[in-house]
């Protein structure tokens, strides 16, 4: 029997891991499910979060599965099939992975009788849609155009007009995908897993960039690898940090150019009381939540032209 594969794609910080957790909590997948998790960088944060689900997790770090570790990715899928014989495989690529390249790997002849691709999700951060589309178009469009389901995240942070504008823009870019634009609180597993329909009533729309975020524009040639444009910097934390102190540091970073172009940060810290917290940062948003326990205290920062010396001084 073929394993059913669901792919959760989306740019850095779009909410892929949180959607997977939501679906797992709603029992959208059975116990015989394996997660293949890829992070761009040397340390795994999302893998640690997903381990709370008690499912089997195969982690691929230190590169993007669609470029320099593509061989590892294909081998990992085959290893998972041999070792666990799963009914379902959840694949969460790095936020800078090209979805077209992942699909190309999974369509190789060696997978034909082993897997069946069902859902190809791409998550879109409504808050940063315009800035990412303008400045990281090569990666962003690839993820949008190759999805069969597009999930808009952070809709609770903006007004309905903004959500509708992004929705219509996405319809223009991918006419065949189901687009979920409602709040996740109103959506259940049955909604996300429903069969595909073709979008209708596609309208023309010109979007203006309303973001105050510093632009990270690059001169794009085609066929970039992620490591040509982005870098990841892990900072291992030796001291206790309070949640307020951490939030203050990222607020300072967002208003200061000397640290480089930071488009994503995540990590796990421990405060003086012994509590562990997992945090996420994208431009315009900082979120933190308490977790039960962790064997690591680390901050992973992703961006371009990172000033590693200044970042290290800031956090240690």
């Amino acid at each position: 029997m073929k394993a059913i594969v669901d792919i959760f794609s989306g740019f850095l910080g779009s909410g892929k891991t949180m959607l997977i957790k939501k679906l797992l909590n709603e029992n959208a997948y059975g116990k015989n499910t394996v997660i293949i998790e890829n992070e761009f960088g040397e340390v795994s944060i999302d893998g640690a979060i997903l381990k709370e689900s008690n499912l089997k997790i195969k982690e691929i770090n230190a590169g993007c599965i669609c470029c320099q570790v593509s061989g590892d990715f294909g081998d990992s899928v085959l290893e998972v099939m041999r070792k666990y014989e799963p009914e379902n495989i959840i694949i969460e690529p790095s936020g800078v992975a090209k979805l077209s390249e992942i699909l190309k790997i999974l369509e190789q002849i060696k997978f034909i009788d082993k897997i069946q691709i069902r859902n190809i999700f791409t998550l879109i951060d409504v808050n940063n849609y315009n800035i990412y589309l303008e400045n990281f178009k090569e990666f962003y469009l690839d993820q949008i155009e190759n999805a069969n389901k597009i999930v808009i995240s952070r809709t609770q942070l903006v007004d309905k007009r903004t959500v509708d504008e992004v929705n219509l823009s996405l319809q223009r870019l991918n006419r065949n995908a189901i687009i979920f634009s409602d709040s996740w609180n109103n959506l259940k597993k049955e909604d996300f897993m429903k069969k595909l329909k073709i979008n209708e009533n596609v309208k023309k729309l010109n979007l203006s960039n309303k973001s105050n975020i510093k632009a990270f524009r690059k001169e794009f040639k085609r066929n970039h690898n992620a490591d040509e444009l982005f870098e990841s910097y892990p900072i291992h934390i030796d001291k206790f940090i309070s949640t307020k102190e951490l939030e203050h540091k990222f607020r300072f970073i967002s208003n200061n150019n000397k640290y480089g172009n930071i488009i994503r940060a995540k990590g796990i810290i421990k405060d003086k009381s012994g509590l562990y917290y997992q945090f996420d940062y994208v431009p315009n948003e900082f979120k933190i939540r308490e977790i039960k326990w962790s064997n690591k205290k680390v901050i992973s920062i992703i961006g371009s032209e990172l000033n590693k010396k200044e970042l290290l001084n800031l956090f240690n």
Side-chain angles (χ1 to χ4, degrees), residues 2 8-9 19 41 54 57 81 98 115 141 158 168 171 178 184 195 200 237 241 276 281 284 297 300 309:
K2 294 183 180 181
F8 290 79
S9 174
L19 179 58
N54 294 319
I57 298 176
M81 293 298 299
K98 290 183 179 178
I115 64 171
L141 277 182
V158 298
L168 288 172
Q171 288 182 38
I178 296 177
W184 290 11
K195 293 183 179 179
E200 299 176 350
I237 305 300
I241 300 180
Y276 288 89
Y281 167 83
N284 293 326
K297 294 179 291 181
S300 178
K309 182 178 179 180

Side-chain angles (χ1 to χ4, degrees), residues 27-193:
N27 298 315
Y29 298 94
K31 292 183 178 179
N32 192 13
T33 298
V34 178
I35 301 173
I36 298 178
E37 166 72 30
N38 170 230
E39 294 201 47
F40 183 75
E42 300 173 15
V43 296
S44 173
I45 304 299
D46 294 337
I49 298 169
L50 290 171
K51 283 176 182 175
E52 296 175 357
S53 67
N54 294 319
L55 292 178
K56 305 174 189 72
I57 298 176
K58 174 68 178 178
E59 296 180 86
I60 308 172
N61 296 326
C64 176
I65 58 177
C66 67
C67 42
Q68 66 263 43
V69 293
S70 59
D72 291 347
F73 172 55
D75 291 342
S76 293
V77 175
L78 293 175
E79 177 190 342
V80 161
M81 293 298 299
R82 287 193 300 266
K83 190 173 181 179
Y84 302 113
E85 298 183 354
E87 294 177 7
N88 296 93
I89 299 175
I90 296 171
I91 297 174
E92 182 184 358
S94 155
V96 292
K98 290 183 179 178
L99 188 49
S100 62
E101 295 296 327
I102 295 166
L103 293 172
K104 188 183 298 182
I105 294 170
L106 294 177
E107 289 166 359
Q108 292 175 8
I109 192 167
K110 61 185 176 182
F111 296 114
I112 287 178
D113 61 345
K114 293 180 174 62
I115 64 171
Q116 177 182 337
I117 300 173
R118 178 177 59 179
N119 294 311
I120 308 169
F121 292 101
T122 287
L123 277 80
I124 297 294
D125 176 359
V126 69
N127 226 8
N128 292 308
Y129 177 74
N130 294 332
I131 195 77
Y132 290 166
L133 185 60
E134 179 180 354
N135 293 287
F136 306 113
K137 192 171 186 177
E138 179 182 349
F139 295 86
Y140 213 53
L141 277 182
D142 187 274
Q143 294 175 353
I144 292 169
E145 292 171 349
N146 288 284
N148 60 24
K149 294 182 178 179
I150 298 174
V151 182
I152 303 177
S153 64
R154 297 184 172 88
T155 55
Q156 74 278 11
L157 301 178
V158 298
D159 57 30
K160 185 178 183 300
R161 178 180 177 181
T162 301
V163 175
D164 289 343
E165 287 177 345
V166 171
N167 192 342
L168 288 172
S169 176
L170 289 167
Q171 288 182 38
R172 291 181 62 197
L173 296 173
N174 186 336
R175 293 172 177 265
N176 295 321
I178 296 177
I179 300 177
F180 301 90
S181 59
D182 203 354
S183 168
W184 290 11
N185 292 331
N186 300 328
L187 295 169
K188 304 300 181 185
K189 64 179 181 181
E190 293 82 8
D191 300 308
F192 290 109
M193 297 300 176

